[in-house]
Every structure is written in C-alpha cells, then in structure tokens.
Amino acid sequence: MLMTIVTAIYFAVGSSQAMKTAWIEDLLSFIPPVAFLVGSWIEGWKPNQNFPLGYIRVTSVTYLVSAVALAGVGLFLIVDSSMALIKQEHATIGSFELFGVTIWFGWVMIAALSYSIVLPVIFGRLKMGPARKLHDKTLYADALMNKADWTTSLAAVVGILGIGMGWWWADAAAAIMIALDVLHDGYKHTGAAIRDLSDEMPRTIDDKEFDPLIDEVRDSVDALPWVRESRLRLREEGRFLTGTIYVVPREGAVSPDEVEAAEVQLLDLHWRLHDVSIMPRVEVDDPAAGNADDDG
C-alpha cells in the first residue's frame, strides 16, 4: 500500500517543493512499521549470558531511533523549503497532451495526492486497535502518522493550486507546513521515547497519563494479608513493565515462600508485567517527601 503511494507521488513530483516534501514524508512512513517489525523480531530472542534479561527493551530503542529520524528529516525539510522561499524560487508546472487534449500536470499531482489521502487514513485507524492491545508505541506512532497524512496531502494540494494561480510562494509555504508536521511528530515521539528509556513511571500509550496498570499492581500488593505498606518502582521496557516493589510486612518478617507466591500472583495479573521483584523492608521512603527536603 505504501509503495504504491510513494510510486504515484514520485512520478507526479515535477518541480514542486511541496510535492517533493510530501514524497519524502511518504518515504518516512516506512520507518515506524519497519522499526516495529525489527523490534518485534529481536524482542523474541532468548536471554543469554550478555543479555540475561532478554531483549524486551529493544522496542523502546527502535521507537527512539524512528522518532529521531523523523525529527532530523523534518528539520532538514524546513531548512530546504525555507531556502526555496528566501531565494524566491518560482516553481513551474507544465502541461502534456493526451489524445489531443492539453492537460495541466497539476491535475495529475492532485490526483496522486488524493490517492495518498484515503488509504493511510483507513489503515491508520485499523492499526490503532492492535497498537493499543500490544501497547506498542512504535506501531501507535505509525497509526497516528497515517491518520494525519491527509493534512499534509491537503497542504500540498493547496501549494499546487497556488502555483496555478500565480502565487509562487504558495508551493514553498505548503512545503514548510508539511515539514513542520514531520518535525512535530518527531519531537513529540522523541520526548516520549527518552522518558521511557530514562525509567519514568509507565504511561499510557498516548503518553497522556500514568498507566492504570500501576494502580492495579499497587492494589494487588496492598491486598496481601501480610503487607502493611508498599512502594512501587516500576519502569517501562518496550511494551513490558518491570521493577521492584518495596513492602513493609505487618509482623516485621515474611517467609520467602510468601514473597515468591506474591510475585507469581503479580505476574499473573497482566501479560505486560515481567520480572517484578518484591523486596521486604523495615520501612519505605516517600519519594515526594525526599524531593521536598531537597528543595528546602
């Protein structure tokens, strides 16, 4: 599907800066799905001596790589399109004859862009469900980009029509709008990927709030009859949650069998929970209180 769109745009690019930028953006659409496939493949590799925890974090790495690539290319496209605007480059769109009829090539460009609008929006919506179910941020970013592709195609159409009306600046302006959209996607997803790799508390796939699975884990731990107090230190590794839970036993001591049984119960709570350890402590510190002391 993407290949047919990229091919159609390529043969209709002409001298339009907006069309060139739209074509490059369509090429960038290959990055997230390829990163998702590569990450999912490596994630299945078995743990070894060098990587005893396995490769579950590789999807976070591929998410970061694809996001940085988007941001970098978006920045380049902004500079490239801005230079065309500063130099006042006048793009021209010629005509061709078909069966004795003269046809403006701009209509071919618009037809190619129209084709590039419909399919990505449909496939973007279809990808959204699996992305949420798998909690795969790379696939989710791909779905969002597909759903938003119509805006960049529409901007390119406006730029082409602007050329036809004699507005030489419309083409470069439309290209800048498309490049800004690419840069915005890259910036947003780069920030989310960096926070994941910096061991921020897990967040929902849309990065709007903390993952509700955190509260489920906390409630499950606090419901144990021998737990008086607990503190969670969870982090997101790819699509999985790992970490340590510090607990204060009610009787001051707890048997290894009880701890192991509680860990097994946690792992059965949700498929995304992976390698979660429970550590008995005499007391647990409140991180918020520690920050307050530091500020003082």
Side-chain angles (χ1 to χ4, degrees):
M1 183 269 290
L2 282 177
M3 186 62 72
T4 61
I5 291 174
V6 170
T7 303
I9 297 294
Y10 173 78
F11 284 109
V13 166
S15 62
S16 169
Q17 185 75 23
M19 284 293 290
K20 184 182 77 172
T21 308
W23 178 67
I24 293 176
E25 193 208 24
D26 286 333
L27 281 177
L28 291 176
S29 298
F30 284 103
I31 295 178
V34 170
F36 166 72
L37 293 174
V38 172
S40 299
W41 173 56
I42 298 177
E43 183 186 72
W45 292 0
K46 295 182 179 179
N48 53 49
Q49 185 175 357
N50 293 331
F51 296 91
L53 297 179
Y55 297 85
I56 60 173
R57 206 166 198 171
V58 72
T59 52
S60 294
V61 176
T62 57
Y63 181 42
L64 176 63
V65 170
S66 59
V68 171
L70 285 175
V73 175
L75 189 60
F76 166 77
L77 292 175
I78 289 175
V79 174
D80 186 50
S81 302
S82 298
M83 291 302 297
L85 192 61
I86 292 171
K87 293 178 180 179
Q88 299 186 11
E89 295 179 357
H90 291 57
T92 58
I93 301 177
S95 303
F96 65 97
E97 285 195 8
L98 182 65
F99 302 116
V101 179
T102 301
I103 300 175
W104 182 51
F105 196 72
W107 298 123
V108 177
M109 295 179 175
I110 293 174
L113 288 169
S114 300
Y115 173 67
S116 72
I117 290 175
V118 180
L119 291 180
V121 172
I122 294 174
F123 280 92
R125 292 186 179 277
L126 292 176
K127 292 175 185 176
M128 196 66 70
R132 291 184 181 278
K133 187 175 181 179
L134 295 172
H135 197 83
D136 193 290
K137 293 187 176 180
T138 305
L139 186 60
Y140 184 76
D142 181 35
L144 287 180
M145 287 176 59
N146 288 159
K147 287 179 63 178
D149 266 355
W150 69 271
T151 57
T152 57
S153 296
L154 182 61
V157 169
V158 172
I160 293 167
L161 292 176
I163 295 175
M165 297 178 66
W167 300 340
W168 64 267
W169 49 265
D171 183 55
I176 292 174
M177 289 181 60
I178 297 171
L180 284 171
D181 182 67
V182 174
L183 180 61
H184 174 263
D185 285 339
Y187 172 78
K188 178 177 65 177
H189 295 299
T190 297
I194 289 175
R195 288 194 297 273
D196 285 349
L197 292 172
S198 300
D199 291 341
E200 182 187 31
M201 283 289 278
R203 303 184 73 88
T204 54
I205 195 169
D206 55 13
D207 205 44
K208 291 183 178 179
E209 59 185 1
F210 288 118
D211 198 318
L213 189 54
I214 297 173
D215 290 332
E216 292 183 38
V217 172
R218 181 181 290 110
D219 293 341
S220 179
V221 172
D222 291 342
L224 294 171
W226 52 270
V227 172
R228 177 166 60 87
E229 189 179 358
S230 66
R231 177 187 169 191
L232 278 63
R233 284 186 176 177
L234 298 178
R235 58 183 174 273
E236 197 163 4
E237 299 194 18
R239 54 180 123 243
F240 298 97
L241 267 62
T242 67
T244 304
I245 302 174
Y246 297 106
V247 298
V248 178
R250 292 185 183 276
E251 304 299 329
V254 60
S255 69
D257 290 340
E258 289 177 305
V259 173
E260 184 175 347
E263 291 176 345
V264 172
Q265 178 180 327
L266 280 180
L267 295 180
D268 290 338
L269 185 64
H270 198 282
W271 68 267
R272 289 179 57 215
L273 292 172
H274 178 83
D275 195 26
V276 177
S277 302
I278 295 179
M279 300 289 292
R281 300 284 293 270
V282 176
E283 62 179 357
V284 293
D285 299 326
D286 182 1
N291 291 336
D293 294 339
D294 292 340
D295 293 340

